[in-house]
């Protein structure tokens, strides 16, 4: 799909239409970069326009980047695999979405969510590419903190000898911590599901209680705290304390963990 830019107003001549477009784009909060299409122009990929948001975020002035390659924004931690995907999309004249680590003029790193669109000034062929970018430093920072917190939690639970488990009910994604796997004595390649997890509890009272507790957690949002007997993967009997907490969204249980 190509982007065709058109303003129709018989009272405005073509030069004024271009001025209006430039004013609109210049004032956008999104970073906007326009480049040539190397396959049509016969010249290397180069920047022919940047808006005010680009100047504010990168620290480069307009005259410092015009005629230069967007590669000037990349650095040692920019993912080369993402750059390969972007270059392939440009050669194929296709749009692409990417998350990319760029560098400002003073060397500061900043993450962007990048959307590149093939653009046309004649409504027929791809003559340019427009890159629209949103800074996502806050998103990346929050993700890093979440990962660090998860690693810290795993460490604390391991030291305390406590197992952690989680079931994503929407995606059917199970997570068992290392200690939980040790408690159940399962092999390294064992992939649990909710049904199998319940089957570890000894048939009879223990299994009936855990099955009922899980059902109420999912349907009614009731947490549970039980001491039950389970049989490990290798056939050993163990008494364990199991705690389950449901997480709801739009009146539906989406996650069960404990």
């Amino acid at each position: 799909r190509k982007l065709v830019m058109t303003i129709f107003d018989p009272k405005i001549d073509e030069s004024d239409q271009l001025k209006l477009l430039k004013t609109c784009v210049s004032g956008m909060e999104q970073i906007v970069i326009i480049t040539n299409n190397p396959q049509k122009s016969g010249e290397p990929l180069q920047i022919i326009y940047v808006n005010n948001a680009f100047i504010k975020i990168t620290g480069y002035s307009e005259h410092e980047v015009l005629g230069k390659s967007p590669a000037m924004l990349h650095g040692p931690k920019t993912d080369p695999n993402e750059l390969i995907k972007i270059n392939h999309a440009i050669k194929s004249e296709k749009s692409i979405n990417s998350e990319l680590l760029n560098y400002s003029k003073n060397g500061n790193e900043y993450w962007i969510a990048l959307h590149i669109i093939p653009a046309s000034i004649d409504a027929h062929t791809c003559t340019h590419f427009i890159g629209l970018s949103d800074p996502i430093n806050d998103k990346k920072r929050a993700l890093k903190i979440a990962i660090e917190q998860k690693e810290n939690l795993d460490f604390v639970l391991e030291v305390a000898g406590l197992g952690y488990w989680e079931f994503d009910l929407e995606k059917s994604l199970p997570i068992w911590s290392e200690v939980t796997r040790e408690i159940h004595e399962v092999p390294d390649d064992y992939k649990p599901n909710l049904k199998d997890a319940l089957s570890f509890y000894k048939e009879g009272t223990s299994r009936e209680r855990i099955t009922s507790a899980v059902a109420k957690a999912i349907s009614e949002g009731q947490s549970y705290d039980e001491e039950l007997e389970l049989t490990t993967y290798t056939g050993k009997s163990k008494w364990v304390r199991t705690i389950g907490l449901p997480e709801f969204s739009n009146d539906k249980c989406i996650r069960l963990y404990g």
Side-chain angles (χ1 to χ4, degrees):
R1 180 184 297 178
K2 298 181 179 66
L3 179 66
V4 180
M5 297 176 288
T6 304
I7 293 179
F8 178 75
D9 188 335
K11 298 177 182 178
I12 304 177
D13 61 29
E14 187 173 346
S15 62
D16 287 336
Q17 289 181 21
L18 290 175
K19 290 178 183 177
L20 180 58
L21 272 175
K22 187 174 182 179
T23 300
C24 292
V25 176
S26 294
M28 289 175 61
E29 293 185 0
Q30 273 187 315
I31 298 171
V32 179
I33 300 177
I34 301 178
T35 71
N36 63 328
N37 180 356
Q39 299 176 101
K40 293 294 187 295
S41 66
E43 298 177 334
L45 184 70
Q46 56 187 269
I47 299 170
I48 65 169
Y49 173 81
V50 294
N51 70 342
N52 291 334
F54 173 92
I55 295 169
K56 179 180 178 181
I57 296 294
T58 67
Y60 287 106
S61 64
E62 191 176 45
H63 77 268
E64 287 178 303
V65 298
L66 295 183
K68 304 289 182 61
S69 168
M72 67 182 296
L73 302 171
H74 306 153
K77 294 183 183 179
T78 303
D79 189 345
N81 293 322
E82 287 300 307
L83 297 179
I84 290 172
K85 294 176 185 177
I86 290 171
N87 288 332
H88 179 72
I90 289 174
K91 289 180 180 178
S92 304
E93 298 181 353
K94 294 181 179 179
S95 61
I96 185 173
N97 293 314
S98 176
E99 290 190 356
L100 205 62
L101 180 64
N102 278 350
Y103 290 78
S104 66
K105 182 179 179 179
N106 61 11
N108 289 337
E109 300 174 354
Y110 66 96
W111 281 94
I112 58 168
L114 172 64
H115 181 46
I116 297 177
I117 312 166
S120 174
I121 59 174
D122 60 12
H124 298 293
T125 59
C126 172
T127 56
H128 298 81
F129 290 96
I130 298 177
L132 306 174
S133 305
D134 289 297
I136 54 171
N137 282 343
D138 290 344
K139 172 186 172 183
K140 288 293 182 178
R141 193 177 297 114
L143 178 60
K144 181 181 179 182
I145 292 172
I147 292 172
E148 290 173 349
Q149 289 177 339
K150 172 70 165 56
E151 290 173 347
N152 291 337
L153 175 62
D154 288 344
F155 175 75
V156 171
L157 292 176
E158 185 175 351
V159 171
L162 300 174
Y164 173 82
W165 56 267
E166 176 181 335
F167 287 99
D168 185 322
L169 301 178
E170 290 189 317
K171 300 178 181 178
S172 299
L173 294 177
I175 296 174
W176 276 13
S177 71
E178 195 62 37
V179 174
T180 300
R181 301 180 74 87
E182 290 174 0
I183 291 172
H184 288 77
E185 297 183 335
V186 295
D188 292 339
D189 60 352
Y190 181 80
K191 297 180 180 180
N193 58 50
L194 187 56
K195 182 179 179 181
D196 289 342
L198 297 180
S199 71
F200 278 99
Y201 290 90
K202 188 172 182 179
E203 193 170 0
T205 303
S206 288
R207 190 177 301 178
E208 290 171 1
R209 283 171 60 184
I210 190 63
T211 300
S212 174
V214 168
K216 288 183 178 179
I218 294 174
S219 63
E220 301 174 19
Q222 291 186 16
S223 60
Y224 60 85
D225 185 346
E226 298 276 358
E227 291 188 11
L228 304 170
E229 187 176 8
L230 62 75
T231 304
T232 70
Y233 189 89
T234 61
K236 297 178 184 177
S237 292
K238 291 183 178 181
W239 281 90
V240 297
R241 180 184 180 187
T242 178
I243 298 172
L245 302 167
E247 179 181 330
F248 275 68
S249 177
N250 297 323
D251 297 324
K252 180 182 178 182
C253 185
I254 59 172
R255 186 169 74 108
L256 193 62
Y257 63 100

